[in-house]
Amino acid sequence: MKERKPLRSEMGWSKPDSITVRGYDLPNELLGKIDLGGMAFLEITGRKPNPREAEVFNALLVTLVEHGMTPQAIASRLISICSPEAMQASVAAGLCGVGSVFAGGSEQIARVLQTALDGKDAGADLQAIATEIVEDHARRKAPIPGIGHPLHKPIDPRTPVLFAIAEKNGYRGRYVALLEAISATAEKKLNRTLPINATGAIGAILCELGFPWRICRGVAIIGRAIGLVGHIAEEIRNPIAYEIYERAEHEVMVNATEKP
Amino acid sequence: MKERKPLRSEMGWSKPDSITVRGYDLPNELLGKIDLGGMAFLEITGRKPNPREAEVFNALLVTLVEHGMTPQAIASRLISICSPEAMQASVAAGLCGVGSVFAGGSEQIARVLQTALDGKDAGADLQAIATEIVEDHARRKAPIPGIGHPLHKPIDPRTPVLFAIAEKNGYRGRYVALLEAISATAEKKLNRTLPINATGAIGAILCELGFPWRICRGVAIIGRAIGLVGHIAEEIRNPIAYEIYERAEHEVMVNATEKP
Amino acid sequence: MKERKPLRSEMGWSKPDSITVRGYDLPNELLGKIDLGGMAFLEITGRKPNPREAEVFNALLVTLVEHGMTPQAIASRLISICSPEAMQASVAAGLCGVGSVFAGGSEQIARVLQTALDGKDAGADLQAIATEIVEDHARRKAPIPGIGHPLHKPIDPRTPVLFAIAEKNGYRGRYVALLEAISATAEKKLNRTLPINATGAIGAILCELGFPWRICRGVAIIGRAIGLVGHIAEEIRNPIAYEIYERAEHEVMVNATEKP
Amino acid sequence: MKERKPLRSEMGWSKPDSITVRGYDLPNELLGKIDLGGMAFLEITGRKPNPREAEVFNALLVTLVEHGMTPQAIASRLISICSPEAMQASVAAGLCGVGSVFAGGSEQIARVLQTALDGKDAGADLQAIATEIVEDHARRKAPIPGIGHPLHKPIDPRTPVLFAIAEKNGYRGRYVALLEAISATAEKKLNRTLPINATGAIGAILCELGFPWRICRGVAIIGRAIGLVGHIAEEIRNPIAYEIYERAEHEVMVNATEKP
């Protein structure tokens, strides 16, 4: 038999009289002493945020909670009328949509920024790097993540606020600067309005906070999970999913069978 | 054709230059001005918590984030090695397990408490109500949710801390008192140690905060979503899911085929 | 340390030159020799169906594949436009809705029928049992699963066909007879048209086939998984989910902001 | 307001006395007249398979049902002990893992094969195309999907059987030939045993049946959904998930706290 690798984890464990989470005594060192955003930071990174990190990280998460009647929110509501006894399944259904199109952008731009600056020292020529990124995407006909927005023009109103919160706390550094250079370069090259959107701002600031790009999608997932619970709570108070379903079902039937 | 019901929602919407969430201007009234726990309260209830509510609600959520190597955490890790490109699917998989057995207790006890005190005035005889609840469950041979714990004995170390935070902020009221009476009555009747567990404390305090029982599971879902992202982040840094899988697969094969 | 229970499973395992599934040599005894419905029967029950069982079971499954533009189908389509790279997440999202309301009825009626006939011999008075079931549901103001349909009146056109297929193959027995008695008794008592619906017919026939009620929902899950893949395939060819989403989002925004 | 696109679908709809699925009268033209594999073909492609297509497609699906104690199966079992009241959530959890690593290979190789032969006529030089594919993957250091297997060596025992079933029915054509050329070329170039695995054989045969690569993953999803229901049914009869969970939780706790 193959030798077995021991199972190790630093997340948490319990004994009869104690509960340890990320190295802290949960009841005595965390409850009442850390807010949820800080706890999420601790849970993901393994260390408590300092107050400046906590302020920035909370702002990023708050941005991600509620984006209106998204496809994910509608999906969660539809599932909640099918399985009202299993709210977790409704939230899970909507969360399945935190993928590449509607919410994955933070991960994508963080990957671009981290790959570009990996191993580069403080004196790196950000404009040259931005130009290379824009031209590489143009060559591959790939959209650049984190810039442009179908609705919010000429700017995404969340972006300057997030950057201001980051700056105030000392987390507006070269990742943000590189993304600004990318946005400006792309606007010039493509002759279009391509402002940094909230997803881009969040991705860049997560880089400033030291989050590896591979876990950035997790931050969107956390925000949206809260938002989906909110939508299901509203669906319980004021149902609309059944109406959305009936309209679609009826229209499909009419369009299929009442052809002249 | 049936008359159609208009679709209404108070969650949020966007215009080119503004984003409204639960009636607030997201960039200018929420970002940097509310923490994630407060945002979750706003998202679910439609109003900002006052500082006392925010402290209590954050403590409840923080309690729910990390419970160690639970079945849900293992499931999320296993799915993350199958679909590493779709972190949302891994979190969704684990969330599907926030059901009746490992996390649904807050909803269940909140339902018991709210049903029992519905329409009762301040002078209600809590001991009589508790006795009735305990006897009703005994008659139906149903376990009483929110009390007893397989590991944490004689008390769950989270419970007194959560009750102290609630008390300090003015949210230790008759729902908590009723649950305490239930616990004491059940211990006497069944001659067993049945302390209020964290799930029970959370359910009772959510009643104090005015949460309808039907949405209490949502609070557990939020906490666990954060925890599952944390587990997947650790799985990326230090994988163990493949080992758990291989051990199980190997043992099943050996036990099935190497019979004497 | 607690003594560990050995992990045993009869599902399947592999060796370098062989693959065993439910005790059969997959390549040589199953591939090309069993159809998918028969394979599903084998996978769930552990034995190959005889030809009569296979015909009946395939008919039940075929009934469950496609129910039009259901909430689950819409949810799967919505998620597929969010995470087009993760089709499994779209199907999983829709499957989360195979719960109590739209698809759980087979399980519920199978439970009623199996509980009622458990330990009863062939001479049991089905009419008396049916009366008791109808009166018990009336007392609890609970709807009787498996009878009545919002659209299909006076009969569900699938029911007589399924019963005929069952009868032809020798699987129209006392579970079907009891459900017929329940339907007739309920119609008389409640003075309403309450025909056996397809869900009820499927539940009763699954009892005839010997399926424990606890796994009957699995049969609906299998059928719907196929249907959801079909809907996603159509969504790829001819997208409508984006339109459903945009209409809802737009209407919510208009109704919220353009109040007089 | 933007002009709305009409919602159209050919999947199915109901009227009080009829149910139409993919253009057929479900009760009278499908029930008892098509098996589940054929129904899946109809549901996905919009037309009934001929008997030869039905035999081949059923064989592909049967191959995909049961792969032993996979990570997905363990995940479904773990969730089923958390949410026993919501079997659909357990299946959904496991399905979330039908991603790139354990089950996505059919889609990947179908994409490679279809892209390579797109627009090529019958006289295309398959060996030259195969060489190009192998060299392209080597250049990008990307593994070639559909060939090689960690356990099944020197051949995957399913592959010759699937190819024989395809051949017998007239569906062993140039996609299969191209994959065989790829396998042989890669073995020579990399000096390793790289037989066509079952996933590769399924992908190539789906190409022969005319399935676009974008929906090939759906075939794996269907097979696995059946398999996961089977695992949950066994978990109900003979539970092992709790044991898997307890072992992992215990070992993590011991390794974390009993350091010397």
PDB file of all heavy atoms in Angstrom, chain A residues 2 4-5 10 36 43 58 66 88 217 234 239 246-247, chain B residues 2 5 9-10 36 43 58 66 88 217 234 239 246-247:
ATOM      1  N   LYS A   2       0.450   2.169  -0.817  1.00  0.00           N
ATOM      2  CA  LYS A   2       1.095   3.475  -0.900  1.00  0.00           C
ATOM      3  C   LYS A   2       1.151   4.127   0.492  1.00  0.00           C
ATOM      4  O   LYS A   2       0.211   4.013   1.269  1.00  0.00           O
ATOM      5  CB  LYS A   2       0.221   4.327  -1.815  1.00  0.00           C
ATOM      6  CG  LYS A   2       0.850   5.630  -2.259  1.00  0.00           C
ATOM      7  CD  LYS A   2      -0.082   6.292  -3.280  1.00  0.00           C
ATOM      8  CE  LYS A   2       0.055   7.804  -3.205  1.00  0.00           C
ATOM      9  NZ  LYS A   2      -0.908   8.473  -4.096  1.00  0.00           N
ATOM     10  N   ARG A   4       0.676   6.775   3.218  1.00  0.00           N
ATOM     11  CA  ARG A   4      -0.362   7.801   3.329  1.00  0.00           C
ATOM     12  C   ARG A   4       0.227   9.103   3.844  1.00  0.00           C
ATOM     13  O   ARG A   4       1.085   9.110   4.725  1.00  0.00           O
ATOM     14  CB  ARG A   4      -1.480   7.334   4.267  1.00  0.00           C
ATOM     15  CG  ARG A   4      -2.130   6.012   3.872  1.00  0.00           C
ATOM     16  CD  ARG A   4      -3.159   6.064   2.788  1.00  0.00           C
ATOM     17  NE  ARG A   4      -2.902   6.893   1.642  1.00  0.00           N
ATOM     18  CZ  ARG A   4      -3.346   6.640   0.412  1.00  0.00           C
ATOM     19  NH1 ARG A   4      -4.035   5.527   0.164  1.00  0.00           N
ATOM     20  NH2 ARG A   4      -3.113   7.469  -0.565  1.00  0.00           N
ATOM     21  N   LYS A   5      -0.260  10.184   3.296  1.00  0.00           N
ATOM     22  CA  LYS A   5       0.137  11.527   3.712  1.00  0.00           C
ATOM     23  C   LYS A   5      -0.725  11.939   4.907  1.00  0.00           C
ATOM     24  O   LYS A   5      -1.934  11.736   4.874  1.00  0.00           O
ATOM     25  CB  LYS A   5      -0.126  12.453   2.526  1.00  0.00           C
ATOM     26  CG  LYS A   5       0.103  13.916   2.769  1.00  0.00           C
ATOM     27  CD  LYS A   5      -0.302  14.724   1.517  1.00  0.00           C
ATOM     28  CE  LYS A   5      -0.532  16.175   1.897  1.00  0.00           C
ATOM     29  NZ  LYS A   5      -1.010  16.986   0.776  1.00  0.00           N
ATOM     30  N   GLU A  10      -5.035  23.909   9.515  1.00  0.00           N
ATOM     31  CA  GLU A  10      -4.922  24.936  10.546  1.00  0.00           C
ATOM     32  C   GLU A  10      -6.239  25.687  10.743  1.00  0.00           C
ATOM     33  O   GLU A  10      -6.271  26.724  11.390  1.00  0.00           O
ATOM     34  CB  GLU A  10      -3.813  25.939  10.160  1.00  0.00           C
ATOM     35  CG  GLU A  10      -2.447  25.321   9.940  1.00  0.00           C
ATOM     36  CD  GLU A  10      -1.863  24.750  11.221  1.00  0.00           C
ATOM     37  OE1 GLU A  10      -2.137  25.308  12.300  1.00  0.00           O
ATOM     38  OE2 GLU A  10      -1.141  23.717  11.131  1.00  0.00           O
ATOM     39  N   LEU A  36     -17.404  40.721  11.084  1.00  0.00           N
ATOM     40  CA  LEU A  36     -17.488  39.631  10.113  1.00  0.00           C
ATOM     41  C   LEU A  36     -16.465  39.783   8.991  1.00  0.00           C
ATOM     42  O   LEU A  36     -15.879  38.793   8.542  1.00  0.00           O
ATOM     43  CB  LEU A  36     -18.901  39.548   9.529  1.00  0.00           C
ATOM     44  CG  LEU A  36     -19.138  38.353   8.614  1.00  0.00           C
ATOM     45  CD1 LEU A  36     -19.002  37.039   9.366  1.00  0.00           C
ATOM     46  CD2 LEU A  36     -20.514  38.439   7.958  1.00  0.00           C
ATOM     47  N   GLU A  43     -10.063  34.096   8.377  1.00  0.00           N
ATOM     48  CA  GLU A  43     -10.382  32.749   7.900  1.00  0.00           C
ATOM     49  C   GLU A  43      -9.614  32.409   6.615  1.00  0.00           C
ATOM     50  O   GLU A  43      -9.141  31.300   6.426  1.00  0.00           O
ATOM     51  CB  GLU A  43     -11.899  32.649   7.653  1.00  0.00           C
ATOM     52  CG  GLU A  43     -12.388  31.337   7.086  1.00  0.00           C
ATOM     53  CD  GLU A  43     -12.442  30.203   8.092  1.00  0.00           C
ATOM     54  OE1 GLU A  43     -12.097  30.417   9.267  1.00  0.00           O
ATOM     55  OE2 GLU A  43     -12.796  29.086   7.690  1.00  0.00           O
ATOM     56  N   ASN A  58     -13.392  45.172   4.384  1.00  0.00           N
ATOM     57  CA  ASN A  58     -14.843  45.306   4.564  1.00  0.00           C
ATOM     58  C   ASN A  58     -15.472  46.082   3.405  1.00  0.00           C
ATOM     59  O   ASN A  58     -16.550  45.720   2.925  1.00  0.00           O
ATOM     60  CB  ASN A  58     -15.154  46.007   5.899  1.00  0.00           C
ATOM     61  CG  ASN A  58     -15.342  45.026   7.047  1.00  0.00           C
ATOM     62  OD1 ASN A  58     -16.337  44.310   7.098  1.00  0.00           O
ATOM     63  ND2 ASN A  58     -14.386  44.979   7.962  1.00  0.00           N
ATOM     64  N   GLU A  66     -24.669  43.225  -3.046  1.00  0.00           N
ATOM     65  CA  GLU A  66     -25.954  43.396  -3.712  1.00  0.00           C
ATOM     66  C   GLU A  66     -25.786  44.076  -5.068  1.00  0.00           C
ATOM     67  O   GLU A  66     -25.364  45.225  -5.141  1.00  0.00           O
ATOM     68  CB  GLU A  66     -26.884  44.238  -2.819  1.00  0.00           C
ATOM     69  CG  GLU A  66     -28.242  44.546  -3.408  1.00  0.00           C
ATOM     70  CD  GLU A  66     -28.979  43.296  -3.849  1.00  0.00           C
ATOM     71  OE1 GLU A  66     -29.076  42.361  -3.064  1.00  0.00           O
ATOM     72  OE2 GLU A  66     -29.432  43.256  -5.018  1.00  0.00           O
ATOM     73  N   GLN A  88     -30.553  26.388   1.856  1.00  0.00           N
ATOM     74  CA  GLN A  88     -29.155  26.245   1.447  1.00  0.00           C
ATOM     75  C   GLN A  88     -29.043  25.871  -0.025  1.00  0.00           C
ATOM     76  O   GLN A  88     -28.107  26.290  -0.717  1.00  0.00           O
ATOM     77  CB  GLN A  88     -28.447  25.226   2.332  1.00  0.00           C
ATOM     78  CG  GLN A  88     -28.745  23.753   2.074  1.00  0.00           C
ATOM     79  CD  GLN A  88     -30.001  23.260   2.771  1.00  0.00           C
ATOM     80  OE1 GLN A  88     -30.855  24.038   3.221  1.00  0.00           O
ATOM     81  NE2 GLN A  88     -30.132  21.945   2.850  1.00  0.00           N
ATOM     82  N   ARG A 217     -11.683  34.997  -6.322  1.00  0.00           N
ATOM     83  CA  ARG A 217     -13.087  34.710  -6.590  1.00  0.00           C
ATOM     84  C   ARG A 217     -13.851  34.411  -5.284  1.00  0.00           C
ATOM     85  O   ARG A 217     -15.047  34.651  -5.182  1.00  0.00           O
ATOM     86  CB  ARG A 217     -13.231  33.538  -7.565  1.00  0.00           C
ATOM     87  CG  ARG A 217     -14.660  33.388  -8.069  1.00  0.00           C
ATOM     88  CD  ARG A 217     -14.849  32.245  -9.046  1.00  0.00           C
ATOM     89  NE  ARG A 217     -14.058  32.414 -10.250  1.00  0.00           N
ATOM     90  CZ  ARG A 217     -14.182  31.671 -11.342  1.00  0.00           C
ATOM     91  NH1 ARG A 217     -15.089  30.707 -11.373  1.00  0.00           N
ATOM     92  NH2 ARG A 217     -13.406  31.865 -12.391  1.00  0.00           N
ATOM     93  N   GLU A 234     -36.288  38.357   0.834  1.00  0.00           N
ATOM     94  CA  GLU A 234     -37.312  39.203   0.210  1.00  0.00           C
ATOM     95  C   GLU A 234     -38.335  38.354  -0.546  1.00  0.00           C
ATOM     96  O   GLU A 234     -39.534  38.652  -0.538  1.00  0.00           O
ATOM     97  CB  GLU A 234     -36.689  40.219  -0.761  1.00  0.00           C
ATOM     98  CG  GLU A 234     -37.712  41.252  -1.233  1.00  0.00           C
ATOM     99  CD  GLU A 234     -37.215  42.175  -2.331  1.00  0.00           C
ATOM    100  OE1 GLU A 234     -36.883  41.679  -3.429  1.00  0.00           O
ATOM    101  OE2 GLU A 234     -37.170  43.400  -2.093  1.00  0.00           O
ATOM    102  N   PRO A 239     -43.125  37.535  -2.856  1.00  0.00           N
ATOM    103  CA  PRO A 239     -42.704  36.598  -3.913  1.00  0.00           C
ATOM    104  C   PRO A 239     -42.826  37.193  -5.311  1.00  0.00           C
ATOM    105  O   PRO A 239     -43.850  37.802  -5.647  1.00  0.00           O
ATOM    106  CB  PRO A 239     -43.677  35.427  -3.763  1.00  0.00           C
ATOM    107  CG  PRO A 239     -44.408  35.644  -2.480  1.00  0.00           C
ATOM    108  CD  PRO A 239     -44.344  37.104  -2.174  1.00  0.00           C
ATOM    109  N   GLU A 246     -43.983  31.857 -14.487  1.00  0.00           N
ATOM    110  CA  GLU A 246     -45.235  31.696 -15.237  1.00  0.00           C
ATOM    111  C   GLU A 246     -45.230  32.507 -16.532  1.00  0.00           C
ATOM    112  O   GLU A 246     -45.751  32.058 -17.557  1.00  0.00           O
ATOM    113  CB  GLU A 246     -46.429  32.119 -14.385  1.00  0.00           C
ATOM    114  CG  GLU A 246     -46.877  31.040 -13.420  1.00  0.00           C
ATOM    115  CD  GLU A 246     -48.290  31.306 -12.940  1.00  0.00           C
ATOM    116  OE1 GLU A 246     -48.645  32.497 -12.735  1.00  0.00           O
ATOM    117  OE2 GLU A 246     -49.040  30.346 -12.755  1.00  0.00           O
ATOM    118  N   ARG A 247     -44.665  33.705 -16.474  1.00  0.00           N
ATOM    119  CA  ARG A 247     -44.600  34.503 -17.702  1.00  0.00           C
ATOM    120  C   ARG A 247     -43.788  33.782 -18.773  1.00  0.00           C
ATOM    121  O   ARG A 247     -44.171  33.721 -19.940  1.00  0.00           O
ATOM    122  CB  ARG A 247     -43.941  35.856 -17.421  1.00  0.00           C
ATOM    123  CG  ARG A 247     -44.787  36.800 -16.622  1.00  0.00           C
ATOM    124  CD  ARG A 247     -44.053  38.131 -16.568  1.00  0.00           C
ATOM    125  NE  ARG A 247     -44.592  39.007 -15.543  1.00  0.00           N
ATOM    126  CZ  ARG A 247     -44.130  40.218 -15.308  1.00  0.00           C
ATOM    127  NH1 ARG A 247     -43.102  40.697 -16.013  1.00  0.00           N
ATOM    128  NH2 ARG A 247     -44.664  40.973 -14.373  1.00  0.00           N
TER     129      ARG A 247
ATOM    130  N   LYS B   2     -53.994  35.359 -18.215  1.00  0.00           N
ATOM    131  CA  LYS B   2     -54.026  35.738 -16.808  1.00  0.00           C
ATOM    132  C   LYS B   2     -53.364  37.103 -16.622  1.00  0.00           C
ATOM    133  O   LYS B   2     -52.358  37.410 -17.264  1.00  0.00           O
ATOM    134  CB  LYS B   2     -53.217  34.682 -16.057  1.00  0.00           C
ATOM    135  CG  LYS B   2     -53.371  34.697 -14.559  1.00  0.00           C
ATOM    136  CD  LYS B   2     -52.593  33.508 -13.988  1.00  0.00           C
ATOM    137  CE  LYS B   2     -52.095  33.837 -12.593  1.00  0.00           C
ATOM    138  NZ  LYS B   2     -51.261  32.775 -12.057  1.00  0.00           N
ATOM    139  N   LYS B   5     -48.755  39.969 -12.504  1.00  0.00           N
ATOM    140  CA  LYS B   5     -48.411  40.698 -11.286  1.00  0.00           C
ATOM    141  C   LYS B   5     -47.123  41.479 -11.552  1.00  0.00           C
ATOM    142  O   LYS B   5     -46.178  40.929 -12.116  1.00  0.00           O
ATOM    143  CB  LYS B   5     -48.189  39.655 -10.187  1.00  0.00           C
ATOM    144  CG  LYS B   5     -47.694  40.179  -8.863  1.00  0.00           C
ATOM    145  CD  LYS B   5     -47.408  38.998  -7.922  1.00  0.00           C
ATOM    146  CE  LYS B   5     -46.485  39.466  -6.793  1.00  0.00           C
ATOM    147  NZ  LYS B   5     -46.099  38.368  -5.902  1.00  0.00           N
ATOM    148  N   SER B   9     -39.112  44.841  -6.259  1.00  0.00           N
ATOM    149  CA  SER B   9     -38.053  44.442  -5.337  1.00  0.00           C
ATOM    150  C   SER B   9     -37.425  45.688  -4.764  1.00  0.00           C
ATOM    151  O   SER B   9     -37.285  46.700  -5.455  1.00  0.00           O
ATOM    152  CB  SER B   9     -36.983  43.616  -6.063  1.00  0.00           C
ATOM    153  OG  SER B   9     -35.818  43.510  -5.265  1.00  0.00           O
ATOM    154  N   GLU B  10     -37.065  45.605  -3.499  1.00  0.00           N
ATOM    155  CA  GLU B  10     -36.407  46.738  -2.843  1.00  0.00           C
ATOM    156  C   GLU B  10     -34.912  46.487  -2.649  1.00  0.00           C
ATOM    157  O   GLU B  10     -34.258  47.234  -1.924  1.00  0.00           O
ATOM    158  CB  GLU B  10     -37.061  46.994  -1.477  1.00  0.00           C
ATOM    159  CG  GLU B  10     -38.552  47.254  -1.527  1.00  0.00           C
ATOM    160  CD  GLU B  10     -38.889  48.572  -2.233  1.00  0.00           C
ATOM    161  OE1 GLU B  10     -38.072  49.512  -2.139  1.00  0.00           O
ATOM    162  OE2 GLU B  10     -39.953  48.639  -2.902  1.00  0.00           O
ATOM    163  N   LEU B  36     -19.084  44.396   7.193  1.00  0.00           N
ATOM    164  CA  LEU B  36     -19.780  43.344   6.458  1.00  0.00           C
ATOM    165  C   LEU B  36     -20.946  42.766   7.246  1.00  0.00           C
ATOM    166  O   LEU B  36     -22.007  42.464   6.677  1.00  0.00           O
ATOM    167  CB  LEU B  36     -18.787  42.227   6.090  1.00  0.00           C
ATOM    168  CG  LEU B  36     -19.374  41.120   5.208  1.00  0.00           C
ATOM    169  CD1 LEU B  36     -19.783  41.660   3.849  1.00  0.00           C
ATOM    170  CD2 LEU B  36     -18.378  39.981   5.043  1.00  0.00           C
ATOM    171  N   GLU B  43     -28.947  44.004   4.374  1.00  0.00           N
ATOM    172  CA  GLU B  43     -29.382  43.252   3.195  1.00  0.00           C
ATOM    173  C   GLU B  43     -30.582  42.355   3.508  1.00  0.00           C
ATOM    174  O   GLU B  43     -31.503  42.217   2.711  1.00  0.00           O
ATOM    175  CB  GLU B  43     -28.206  42.405   2.690  1.00  0.00           C
ATOM    176  CG  GLU B  43     -28.494  41.498   1.516  1.00  0.00           C
ATOM    177  CD  GLU B  43     -28.586  42.225   0.184  1.00  0.00           C
ATOM    178  OE1 GLU B  43     -28.414  43.449   0.148  1.00  0.00           O
ATOM    179  OE2 GLU B  43     -28.881  41.549  -0.822  1.00  0.00           O
ATOM    180  N   ASN B  58     -22.841  40.644  14.436  1.00  0.00           N
ATOM    181  CA  ASN B  58     -21.498  40.232  14.036  1.00  0.00           C
ATOM    182  C   ASN B  58     -21.012  39.038  14.863  1.00  0.00           C
ATOM    183  O   ASN B  58     -20.399  38.107  14.329  1.00  0.00           O
ATOM    184  CB  ASN B  58     -20.509  41.398  14.174  1.00  0.00           C
ATOM    185  CG  ASN B  58     -20.379  42.218  12.895  1.00  0.00           C
ATOM    186  OD1 ASN B  58     -19.840  41.740  11.907  1.00  0.00           O
ATOM    187  ND2 ASN B  58     -20.901  43.435  12.896  1.00  0.00           N
ATOM    188  N   GLU B  66     -16.430  29.055  11.198  1.00  0.00           N
ATOM    189  CA  GLU B  66     -15.471  27.946  11.135  1.00  0.00           C
ATOM    190  C   GLU B  66     -15.778  26.899  12.190  1.00  0.00           C
ATOM    191  O   GLU B  66     -15.708  27.187  13.373  1.00  0.00           O
ATOM    192  CB  GLU B  66     -14.056  28.502  11.330  1.00  0.00           C
ATOM    193  CG  GLU B  66     -12.957  27.464  11.341  1.00  0.00           C
ATOM    194  CD  GLU B  66     -12.984  26.576  10.118  1.00  0.00           C
ATOM    195  OE1 GLU B  66     -13.037  27.105   9.009  1.00  0.00           O
ATOM    196  OE2 GLU B  66     -12.989  25.328  10.277  1.00  0.00           O
ATOM    197  N   GLN B  88     -16.724  28.620  -7.282  1.00  0.00           N
ATOM    198  CA  GLN B  88     -18.107  28.804  -6.830  1.00  0.00           C
ATOM    199  C   GLN B  88     -18.836  27.472  -6.705  1.00  0.00           C
ATOM    200  O   GLN B  88     -19.687  27.289  -5.816  1.00  0.00           O
ATOM    201  CB  GLN B  88     -18.862  29.750  -7.777  1.00  0.00           C
ATOM    202  CG  GLN B  88     -19.287  29.167  -9.109  1.00  0.00           C
ATOM    203  CD  GLN B  88     -18.195  29.217 -10.175  1.00  0.00           C
ATOM    204  OE1 GLN B  88     -17.009  29.379  -9.882  1.00  0.00           O
ATOM    205  NE2 GLN B  88     -18.599  29.086 -11.436  1.00  0.00           N
ATOM    206  N   ARG B 217     -31.950  30.250   8.942  1.00  0.00           N
ATOM    207  CA  ARG B 217     -30.950  29.394   8.312  1.00  0.00           C
ATOM    208  C   ARG B 217     -30.013  30.207   7.422  1.00  0.00           C
ATOM    209  O   ARG B 217     -28.853  29.838   7.226  1.00  0.00           O
ATOM    210  CB  ARG B 217     -31.615  28.279   7.489  1.00  0.00           C
ATOM    211  CG  ARG B 217     -30.628  27.199   7.078  1.00  0.00           C
ATOM    212  CD  ARG B 217     -31.235  26.089   6.255  1.00  0.00           C
ATOM    213  NE  ARG B 217     -32.262  25.372   6.993  1.00  0.00           N
ATOM    214  CZ  ARG B 217     -32.798  24.234   6.587  1.00  0.00           C
ATOM    215  NH1 ARG B 217     -32.412  23.683   5.452  1.00  0.00           N
ATOM    216  NH2 ARG B 217     -33.732  23.650   7.306  1.00  0.00           N
ATOM    217  N   GLU B 234      -7.257  27.090   1.948  1.00  0.00           N
ATOM    218  CA  GLU B 234      -6.240  26.236   2.564  1.00  0.00           C
ATOM    219  C   GLU B 234      -5.950  25.012   1.683  1.00  0.00           C
ATOM    220  O   GLU B 234      -4.808  24.578   1.564  1.00  0.00           O
ATOM    221  CB  GLU B 234      -6.672  25.770   3.961  1.00  0.00           C
ATOM    222  CG  GLU B 234      -5.531  25.052   4.685  1.00  0.00           C
ATOM    223  CD  GLU B 234      -5.935  24.411   6.005  1.00  0.00           C
ATOM    224  OE1 GLU B 234      -6.769  23.480   5.985  1.00  0.00           O
ATOM    225  OE2 GLU B 234      -5.401  24.827   7.057  1.00  0.00           O
ATOM    226  N   PRO B 239      -2.952  20.830   0.073  1.00  0.00           N
ATOM    227  CA  PRO B 239      -4.045  19.921  -0.314  1.00  0.00           C
ATOM    228  C   PRO B 239      -4.139  18.690   0.584  1.00  0.00           C
ATOM    229  O   PRO B 239      -3.118  18.073   0.905  1.00  0.00           O
ATOM    230  CB  PRO B 239      -3.660  19.483  -1.734  1.00  0.00           C
ATOM    231  CG  PRO B 239      -2.526  20.368  -2.152  1.00  0.00           C
ATOM    232  CD  PRO B 239      -1.871  20.864  -0.913  1.00  0.00           C
ATOM    233  N   GLU B 246      -8.310   9.196  -1.916  1.00  0.00           N
ATOM    234  CA  GLU B 246      -7.555   7.976  -2.243  1.00  0.00           C
ATOM    235  C   GLU B 246      -7.647   6.925  -1.140  1.00  0.00           C
ATOM    236  O   GLU B 246      -7.729   5.734  -1.416  1.00  0.00           O
ATOM    237  CB  GLU B 246      -6.087   8.322  -2.486  1.00  0.00           C
ATOM    238  CG  GLU B 246      -5.837   8.841  -3.879  1.00  0.00           C
ATOM    239  CD  GLU B 246      -4.369   8.735  -4.239  1.00  0.00           C
ATOM    240  OE1 GLU B 246      -3.507   8.923  -3.347  1.00  0.00           O
ATOM    241  OE2 GLU B 246      -4.065   8.471  -5.411  1.00  0.00           O
ATOM    242  N   ARG B 247      -7.615   7.394   0.100  1.00  0.00           N
ATOM    243  CA  ARG B 247      -7.726   6.426   1.195  1.00  0.00           C
ATOM    244  C   ARG B 247      -9.064   5.689   1.125  1.00  0.00           C
ATOM    245  O   ARG B 247      -9.132   4.473   1.284  1.00  0.00           O
ATOM    246  CB  ARG B 247      -7.645   7.147   2.542  1.00  0.00           C
ATOM    247  CG  ARG B 247      -6.284   7.656   2.897  1.00  0.00           C
ATOM    248  CD  ARG B 247      -6.350   8.184   4.325  1.00  0.00           C
ATOM    249  NE  ARG B 247      -5.191   9.014   4.643  1.00  0.00           N
ATOM    250  CZ  ARG B 247      -5.016   9.598   5.809  1.00  0.00           C
ATOM    251  NH1 ARG B 247      -5.931   9.456   6.770  1.00  0.00           N
ATOM    252  NH2 ARG B 247      -3.945  10.332   6.039  1.00  0.00           N
TER     253      ARG B 247
END
